[in-house]
Amino acid sequence: MTADAYDIVVLGAGPTGENLADRTRAAGLTTVIVESELVGGECSYWACMPSKALLRPVTARADARRVPGLRGLVAGPLETPAVLAHRDAYVSHWKDDGQVAWLESVGIDLVRGHGRLDGPRRVVVDGPDGERRELTARHAVAVCTGSRAAVPDLPGLAAARPWTSREATSAPAVPQRLAVVGGGVVAVEMATAWRALGAAVTLLVRGGGLLPRMEPFAGRLVAEALAEAGVDVRTHTSVTEVRRNGSADGPVTLTLDDGGRLAVDEVLFATGRAPRTDDIGLETVGLTPGDWLEVDDSCRVRAVGDGWLYAAGDVNHRALMTHQGKYQARIAGAAIGARARGAEEQTGRWGAHAATADLAAVPQVVFTDPEAASVGLTAAEAERQGRRVRVVDHDLAQVAGAGLYADGYRGQARIVVDEDRGHLVGATFVGPGIGELLHSATVAVAGEVPVERLWHAVPAYPTISEVWLRLLEGYRG
């Protein structure tokens, strides 16, 4: 076994791990990153990038069909081989040469293999060639191993080889019949993509609606659009058993809680995420394998003494989105660098080393048709926190820019204003092309911009962003 010492050891080379390592290396700290799969992680190869590469042709065609002079030119189906090739190119054909070259260019060492903690500040890596390496960290170890799809324990499910988000974003061909189990972001995005590519899609939702973490109107509008596109949306429906019949690529039969059965070619379970901490040696530092890692606002693990262990990204369960993981990585990297130098820490509510946006201003875009985007709190969440809020809604179809964007534009916007503090605590938009509206709302929520100041942020006419003027007019009465 070979042994090496670094200032920082990072477990996981996804976007979070890459960004954290980049920050610590820029601070002058020797940094090594350990990765058991592809450098670039889940987002680059099986999540954000491939899913959006699949969805962009879908939404572009939908937008074109709403524009006079274009709709007749795009009446036909998508060119499936071209869409899948576009997806494959965006994931670099599942090769990480470019990402590895970037690590080398910034001076970050890479060790391939499965890394496990082996006591304080020590990581043991079992390499693909059977070699074992011991890495010692002088200052910190950062766990950036992310999350994996959580699949329920149902009779027959394991043997049926279901799709998770990985298979759904990387499948080489379109299944004739696809069942999607779940009602969250992955479920509605993949239902959108594969239906547009020609699959007969059935969406099975245990609850009463889609996108339960957003405002109720978001899930309602997305559900209506999916149904119009030909998706069979079934709410209040659970799967009780799964069986794949015959050969490895034989049909799958789902037994439902009402006693009915559904025969499909593939089934996607999009039923949540679990931390990838079950086999990273947490027990050697007094933690429980398989648990989420609770951290402070600098992403330092609370339950470990001496402050040497950090956890950023999905693994700490604060906000399971790539952009939030990268944000946390920048915070954690800055904090590690400052502590390594013995510098006075800038902490607190707005400190450079405090990940406050995970608590108050988390943005998210769902790339369905229509898009759904939100930041901050829903009205119900704000009320549960005991805030005195006022909600203002506006029909996006009444905004001049929306009508120019698309004939028959349908959408809705909502802001949630904290009446006692006088600023937005949440905003939600649903409609074609509204994802690019979200950052203005994020700035308003994260910056706690007073509503009276927002009145003087004049939106350009005629754009969809003019909805801001209409929302503020509604607030002022």
Side-chain angles (χ1 to χ4, degrees):
M1 180 168 64
T2 60
D4 298 283
Y6 291 86
D7 292 327
I8 311 298
V9 178
V10 180
L11 285 179
T16 300
E18 288 178 317
N19 274 264
L20 194 151
D22 187 36
R23 287 301 170 106
T24 56
R25 186 67 191 93
L29 302 174
T30 58
T31 302
V32 62
I33 196 164
V34 180
E35 177 55 54
S36 60
E37 294 185 294
L38 296 176
V39 176
E42 197 79 10
C43 176
S44 297
Y45 305 102
W46 301 287
C48 318
M49 300 305 288
S51 65
K52 304 318 168 280
L54 290 171
L55 286 160
R56 178 55 187 152
V58 178
T59 56
R61 182 184 64 168
D63 284 345
R65 285 177 169 178
R66 301 183 185 108
V67 178
L70 282 177
R71 60 172 58 95
L73 302 176
V74 290
L78 292 169
E79 295 181 7
T80 298
V83 173
L84 297 181
H86 173 66
R87 184 269 318 270
D88 294 351
Y90 256 86
V91 298
S92 302
H93 301 275
W94 291 276
K95 296 180 180 179
D96 61 3
D97 298 0
Q99 301 277 43
V100 172
W102 176 80
L103 289 179
E104 294 173 350
S105 73
V106 296
I108 299 169
D109 285 355
L110 169 66
V111 174
R112 291 192 183 273
H114 186 87
R116 298 176 182 84
L117 293 166
D118 188 33
R121 294 184 176 84
R122 190 166 59 252
V123 171
V124 172
V125 184
D126 291 314
D129 56 0
E131 180 187 5
R132 172 166 285 197
R133 294 183 63 175
E134 181 182 287
L135 305 173
T136 301
R138 299 183 187 94
H139 295 293
V141 174
V143 177
C144 305
T145 49
S147 64
R148 56 176 173 78
V151 178
D153 184 16
L154 292 176
L157 184 58
R161 299 173 306 284
W163 279 10
T164 66
S165 53
R166 283 198 168 196
E167 291 77 17
T169 57
S170 63
V174 181
Q176 184 176 351
R177 301 166 300 173
L178 172 66
V180 180
V181 182
V185 176
V186 172
V188 297
E189 287 190 346
M190 291 297 95
T192 298
W194 290 109
R195 175 61 195 134
L197 289 168
V201 177
T202 303
L203 185 60
L204 305 173
V205 187
R206 183 175 58 183
L210 306 182
L211 302 176
R213 296 188 179 182
M214 286 187 164
E215 296 283 7
F217 69 81
R220 175 177 55 80
L221 290 173
V222 170
E224 290 174 359
L226 284 170
E228 290 174 5
V231 176
D232 181 4
V233 180
R234 305 185 192 181
T235 57
H236 301 293
T237 302
S238 295
V239 177
T240 60
E241 185 177 10
V242 181
R243 299 290 178 191
R244 187 177 290 273
N245 305 317
S247 63
D249 58 353
V252 180
T253 300
L254 309 180
T255 302
L256 309 180
D257 58 351
D258 63 1
R261 293 192 174 187
L262 176 66
V264 294
D265 298 291
E266 299 291 350
V267 56
L268 161 63
F269 274 82
T271 48
R273 307 291 295 178
R276 295 184 64 180
T277 61
D278 50 313
D279 188 22
I280 60 167
L282 291 184
E283 67 281 1
T284 70
V285 295
L287 301 175
T288 302
D291 277 1
W292 303 99
L293 299 178
E294 184 183 355
V295 298
D296 63 18
D297 283 348
S298 67
C299 295
R300 187 160 52 179
V301 177
R302 294 184 185 276
V304 173
D306 296 334
W308 59 271
L309 186 63
Y310 289 74
D314 282 12
V315 75
N316 64 31
H317 207 227
R318 288 168 69 101
L320 276 65
M321 281 166 276
T322 297
H323 45 275
Q324 293 301 124
K326 292 164 70 173
Y327 163 73
Q328 292 173 15
R330 296 191 292 270
I331 297 294
I336 292 169
R339 288 164 178 156
R341 295 191 305 270
E344 182 179 351
E345 299 175 25
Q346 182 185 356
T347 57
R349 189 166 177 226
W350 301 113
H353 308 153
T356 56
D358 290 340
L359 307 176
V362 176
Q364 181 172 28
V365 179
V366 184
F367 293 88
T368 45
D369 175 40
E371 291 177 345
S374 66
V375 63
L377 304 175
T378 64
E381 288 170 339
E383 289 171 354
R384 283 196 294 270
Q385 290 184 6
R387 297 175 184 262
R388 187 172 65 91
V389 298
R390 182 175 171 189
V391 174
V392 182
D393 291 312
H394 192 77
D395 181 357
L396 273 165
Q398 302 305 311
V399 177
L404 290 168
Y405 187 92
D407 279 359
Y409 192 103
R410 287 185 293 174
Q412 186 172 342
R414 168 174 289 184
I415 57 172
V416 181
V417 181
D418 187 315
E419 290 282 77
D420 296 318
R421 302 190 67 174
H423 64 79
L424 272 65
V425 293
T428 301
F429 307 95
V430 179
I434 52 77
E436 299 300 338
L437 283 179
L438 189 61
H439 194 60
S440 57
T442 303
V443 171
V445 173
E448 297 185 354
V449 181
V451 173
E452 291 305 314
R453 288 302 306 157
L454 284 179
W455 182 255
H456 298 284
V458 182
Y461 179 87
T463 65
I464 300 176
S465 62
E466 197 185 15
V467 69
W468 279 105
L469 173 60
R470 304 308 173 204
L471 289 166
L472 293 170
E473 285 177 336
Y475 179 75
R476 289 170 67 118

